[in-house]
Amino acid sequence: MIPTLLKTKRLTLTPVHLSEATVLFNVWSNSTVTKYMNIAPFESLQQAKEMIAFFEESLLTEKAVRYAIYYQNNCIGSCGFNFFDWQAKETEIGYEILPTFWNLGLGTEIVALLCQTAFEKLGLETVFASIEKENTASKKLVEKCGFQLATEQHSTLEVYRKSHTT
């Protein structure tokens, strides 16, 4: 079963909910945040509502889960498992937070918590992170968390991998 509450000393993660549409719209419409994401900056609140509905359905079917990230009682972004391959025992993670909260070590906490959840609570063996080559901050983040470059998917994307044994 996919956990619906994850915590660190500073962060609380809960599955995204429609009540967070406005703040997540602020995240997903921020061109600095979405620069290295596989989405264009959102232009309407409706897009955020549709994305949240997609994530809610994905959680119900255990295909994926997206968590709202709370820091000091404020939603500052989202993260989660982009897909689950239950047979291969692997998943891919993704994360984004508002620039105001960059360089506070929160990304490290988020990635470490997602990996711990994947390995210890979900019984998965491998976690992947697909990162744009130009996104040096994100590459440094996953490397700090023990990921290693696995493959270059194409000219702009690199895939990092962490196994339960590493």
Side-chain angles (χ1 to χ4, degrees):
M1 177 178 251
I2 298 170
T4 56
L5 177 66
L6 302 175
K7 289 186 140 199
T8 67
K9 288 182 180 180
R10 300 189 295 170
L11 301 171
T12 300
L13 279 56
T14 58
V16 293
H17 187 268
L18 196 56
S19 63
E20 294 147 339
T22 300
V23 70
L24 290 174
F25 170 71
N26 290 334
V27 174
W28 295 329
S29 65
N30 185 310
S31 61
T32 303
V33 172
T34 61
K35 180 177 181 179
Y36 298 117
M37 292 176 65
N38 63 350
I39 62 171
F42 283 8
E43 296 179 2
S44 73
L45 181 61
Q46 184 59 33
Q47 287 176 287
K49 290 178 179 178
E50 290 169 4
M51 181 75 89
I52 291 167
F54 171 79
F55 289 136
E56 288 176 331
E57 176 64 24
S58 296
L59 176 60
L60 289 174
T61 58
E62 295 194 336
K63 292 180 180 175
V65 62
R66 199 76 182 174
Y67 296 102
I69 302 166
Y70 283 87
Y71 173 67
Q72 298 178 341
N73 297 318
N74 295 304
C75 181
I76 63 164
S78 78
C79 67
F81 301 102
N82 298 339
F83 70 83
F84 293 109
D85 185 333
W86 297 109
Q87 286 187 325
K89 295 189 176 197
E90 59 189 33
T91 187
E92 178 185 64
I93 60 169
Y95 44 85
E96 66 277 340
I97 59 176
L98 290 167
T100 307
F101 301 97
W102 291 0
N103 300 311
L104 299 176
L106 300 175
T108 304
E109 281 185 48
I110 292 162
V111 171
L113 181 59
L114 291 175
C115 289
Q116 178 185 17
T117 301
F119 298 141
E120 296 177 11
K121 295 183 179 178
L122 298 174
L124 302 175
E125 295 175 1
T126 307
V127 177
F128 292 97
S130 298
I131 301 172
E132 294 284 334
K133 282 186 178 180
E134 296 176 4
N135 190 349
T136 55
S138 194
K139 291 193 299 187
K140 286 179 186 175
L141 168 62
V142 297
E143 287 171 348
K144 181 179 180 180
C145 292
F147 284 72
Q148 296 179 337
L149 182 62
T151 61
E152 295 183 21
Q153 282 191 336
H154 54 72
S155 61
T156 63
L157 197 62
E158 295 178 336
V159 177
Y160 286 77
R161 170 190 171 128
K162 181 172 183 167
S163 296
H164 184 49
T165 56
T166 54

